[in-house]
Amino acid sequence: VQLQASGGGSVQAGGSLRLSCAVSGPTFSRYTMGWFRQDPGKEREFVAAITTYEQTGTYADSVKGRFTISRDNAKNMIYLQMNSLKVEDTSLYYCAADVDANYGYKVFRDYTYAYWGQGTQVTVSS
């Protein structure tokens, strides 16, 4: 399974970005997919996840109501629509795949995901 994240960039506070993640894998529609972010010297932080069982995602409290995760199983893609961006959203964002289709509390844990993309930088300025 390979993941390729894209869509990062620089934006002013209050702006929007959409991250994309292309996934190669024979049974993508079954994967639990997640977005995480990480700052230098800090632990990786859960942002959002979407399972094969749900149409809506699970979100960190810090992004709830501003970010939306979605998937297109026909295209093997996931997206993270980020609105009302804040300076504190600045980070390196990673997409991740869990081929075991975990759900519940496990989607919050980075160790649930065996496959990771290379990261895409999001910078929000004031």
Short mmCIF file of all heavy atoms in Angstrom, two decimals, residues 21-30 52 55 70-79:
data_model
loop_
_atom_site.label_atom_id
_atom_site.label_comp_id
_atom_site.label_asym_id
_atom_site.label_seq_id
_atom_site.Cartn_x
_atom_site.Cartn_y
_atom_site.Cartn_z
N CYS A 21 -5.13 12.69 -0.77
CA CYS A 21 -4.22 11.56 -0.55
C CYS A 21 -4.63 10.45 -1.51
O CYS A 21 -5.76 9.94 -1.42
CB CYS A 21 -4.30 11.09 0.89
SG CYS A 21 -3.22 9.69 1.27
N ALA A 22 -3.74 10.13 -2.42
CA ALA A 22 -3.97 9.04 -3.36
C ALA A 22 -3.42 7.76 -2.75
O ALA A 22 -2.29 7.74 -2.24
CB ALA A 22 -3.27 9.33 -4.68
N VAL A 23 -4.21 6.71 -2.80
CA VAL A 23 -3.86 5.45 -2.14
C VAL A 23 -3.84 4.32 -3.15
O VAL A 23 -4.81 4.14 -3.91
CB VAL A 23 -4.86 5.13 -1.03
CG1 VAL A 23 -4.44 3.87 -0.26
CG2 VAL A 23 -5.00 6.30 -0.06
N SER A 24 -2.77 3.58 -3.16
CA SER A 24 -2.73 2.38 -3.98
C SER A 24 -2.95 1.19 -3.06
O SER A 24 -2.33 1.10 -2.01
CB SER A 24 -1.37 2.26 -4.68
OG SER A 24 -0.34 2.01 -3.74
N GLY A 25 -3.82 0.30 -3.48
CA GLY A 25 -4.11 -0.85 -2.64
C GLY A 25 -5.29 -1.58 -3.22
O GLY A 25 -6.20 -0.95 -3.73
N PRO A 26 -5.31 -2.89 -3.11
CA PRO A 26 -6.33 -3.69 -3.79
C PRO A 26 -7.72 -3.58 -3.19
O PRO A 26 -8.70 -3.83 -3.90
CB PRO A 26 -5.79 -5.12 -3.66
CG PRO A 26 -4.93 -5.10 -2.45
CD PRO A 26 -4.32 -3.73 -2.41
N THR A 27 -7.80 -3.21 -1.93
CA THR A 27 -9.11 -3.18 -1.28
C THR A 27 -9.30 -1.87 -0.53
O THR A 27 -9.70 -1.85 0.64
CB THR A 27 -9.27 -4.37 -0.32
OG1 THR A 27 -8.17 -4.37 0.61
CG2 THR A 27 -9.31 -5.67 -1.07
N PHE A 28 -9.00 -0.77 -1.20
CA PHE A 28 -9.02 0.55 -0.56
C PHE A 28 -10.34 0.81 0.14
O PHE A 28 -10.36 1.40 1.22
CB PHE A 28 -8.76 1.63 -1.61
CG PHE A 28 -9.05 3.02 -1.11
CD1 PHE A 28 -8.16 3.65 -0.26
CD2 PHE A 28 -10.21 3.69 -1.48
CE1 PHE A 28 -8.41 4.93 0.21
CE2 PHE A 28 -10.47 4.96 -1.01
CZ PHE A 28 -9.57 5.59 -0.16
N SER A 29 -11.45 0.41 -0.45
CA SER A 29 -12.75 0.74 0.13
C SER A 29 -12.92 0.15 1.53
O SER A 29 -13.78 0.59 2.29
CB SER A 29 -13.87 0.25 -0.78
OG SER A 29 -13.83 -1.15 -0.89
N ARG A 30 -12.11 -0.82 1.89
CA ARG A 30 -12.21 -1.45 3.21
C ARG A 30 -11.31 -0.78 4.24
O ARG A 30 -11.41 -1.08 5.43
CB ARG A 30 -11.84 -2.93 3.11
CG ARG A 30 -12.71 -3.72 2.17
CD ARG A 30 -12.26 -5.17 2.13
NE ARG A 30 -12.98 -5.94 1.12
CZ ARG A 30 -12.72 -7.21 0.84
NH1 ARG A 30 -11.79 -7.86 1.50
NH2 ARG A 30 -13.41 -7.83 -0.10
N THR A 52 -14.67 2.50 6.76
CA THR A 52 -15.45 1.99 5.65
C THR A 52 -16.92 1.92 6.00
O THR A 52 -17.76 1.76 5.13
CB THR A 52 -14.91 0.62 5.21
OG1 THR A 52 -15.56 0.21 4.02
CG2 THR A 52 -15.16 -0.42 6.29
N GLN A 55 -20.24 7.33 6.77
CA GLN A 55 -20.17 8.39 5.78
C GLN A 55 -19.62 9.67 6.38
O GLN A 55 -19.16 10.54 5.65
CB GLN A 55 -21.57 8.65 5.20
CG GLN A 55 -22.15 7.46 4.45
CD GLN A 55 -21.27 7.03 3.29
OE1 GLN A 55 -20.81 7.87 2.52
NE2 GLN A 55 -21.00 5.74 3.18
N SER A 70 -13.24 13.14 3.81
CA SER A 70 -14.12 12.41 2.89
C SER A 70 -13.29 11.42 2.09
O SER A 70 -12.04 11.50 2.08
CB SER A 70 -14.86 13.37 1.96
OG SER A 70 -13.94 14.10 1.17
N ARG A 71 -13.97 10.50 1.45
CA ARG A 71 -13.27 9.52 0.63
C ARG A 71 -14.04 9.28 -0.65
O ARG A 71 -15.27 9.40 -0.68
CB ARG A 71 -13.07 8.21 1.40
CG ARG A 71 -14.34 7.45 1.73
CD ARG A 71 -14.07 6.32 2.72
NE ARG A 71 -13.11 5.36 2.22
CZ ARG A 71 -12.42 4.52 3.00
NH1 ARG A 71 -12.60 4.54 4.30
NH2 ARG A 71 -11.57 3.65 2.47
N ASP A 72 -13.30 8.94 -1.70
CA ASP A 72 -13.88 8.55 -2.98
C ASP A 72 -13.33 7.18 -3.29
O ASP A 72 -12.19 7.05 -3.77
CB ASP A 72 -13.51 9.58 -4.05
CG ASP A 72 -14.19 9.30 -5.38
OD1 ASP A 72 -14.57 8.13 -5.63
OD2 ASP A 72 -14.34 10.24 -6.18
N ASN A 73 -14.12 6.16 -3.01
CA ASN A 73 -13.63 4.79 -3.19
C ASN A 73 -13.40 4.45 -4.66
O ASN A 73 -12.58 3.59 -4.98
CB ASN A 73 -14.60 3.81 -2.56
CG ASN A 73 -14.58 3.87 -1.04
OD1 ASN A 73 -13.60 4.30 -0.44
ND2 ASN A 73 -15.67 3.47 -0.42
N ALA A 74 -14.11 5.11 -5.56
CA ALA A 74 -13.92 4.85 -6.98
C ALA A 74 -12.56 5.35 -7.48
O ALA A 74 -12.00 4.81 -8.43
CB ALA A 74 -15.03 5.49 -7.79
N LYS A 75 -12.04 6.37 -6.81
CA LYS A 75 -10.77 6.96 -7.21
C LYS A 75 -9.63 6.62 -6.28
O LYS A 75 -8.50 7.08 -6.48
CB LYS A 75 -10.91 8.49 -7.30
CG LYS A 75 -11.88 8.96 -8.36
CD LYS A 75 -11.93 10.48 -8.41
CE LYS A 75 -12.88 10.96 -9.49
NZ LYS A 75 -12.97 12.45 -9.54
N ASN A 76 -9.89 5.85 -5.23
CA ASN A 76 -8.86 5.54 -4.22
C ASN A 76 -8.25 6.82 -3.64
O ASN A 76 -7.02 6.95 -3.56
CB ASN A 76 -7.76 4.65 -4.81
CG ASN A 76 -8.14 3.19 -4.85
OD1 ASN A 76 -9.31 2.87 -4.97
ND2 ASN A 76 -7.15 2.31 -4.77
N MET A 77 -9.13 7.73 -3.24
CA MET A 77 -8.67 9.01 -2.73
C MET A 77 -9.35 9.32 -1.41
O MET A 77 -10.51 8.96 -1.19
CB MET A 77 -9.01 10.14 -3.71
CG MET A 77 -8.33 10.06 -5.06
SD MET A 77 -6.57 10.49 -4.98
CE MET A 77 -6.67 12.23 -4.54
N ILE A 78 -8.63 10.02 -0.55
CA ILE A 78 -9.26 10.67 0.59
C ILE A 78 -8.89 12.14 0.56
O ILE A 78 -7.88 12.53 -0.06
CB ILE A 78 -8.89 10.05 1.95
CG1 ILE A 78 -7.40 10.25 2.26
CG2 ILE A 78 -9.27 8.59 2.01
CD1 ILE A 78 -7.08 10.01 3.73
N TYR A 79 -9.72 12.94 1.22
CA TYR A 79 -9.54 14.38 1.22
C TYR A 79 -9.70 14.92 2.63
O TYR A 79 -10.38 14.33 3.46
CB TYR A 79 -10.58 15.04 0.30
CG TYR A 79 -10.60 14.49 -1.10
CD1 TYR A 79 -11.53 13.50 -1.45
CD2 TYR A 79 -9.69 14.92 -2.05
CE1 TYR A 79 -11.54 12.96 -2.73
CE2 TYR A 79 -9.71 14.40 -3.34
CZ TYR A 79 -10.64 13.42 -3.67
OH TYR A 79 -10.64 12.89 -4.93
#
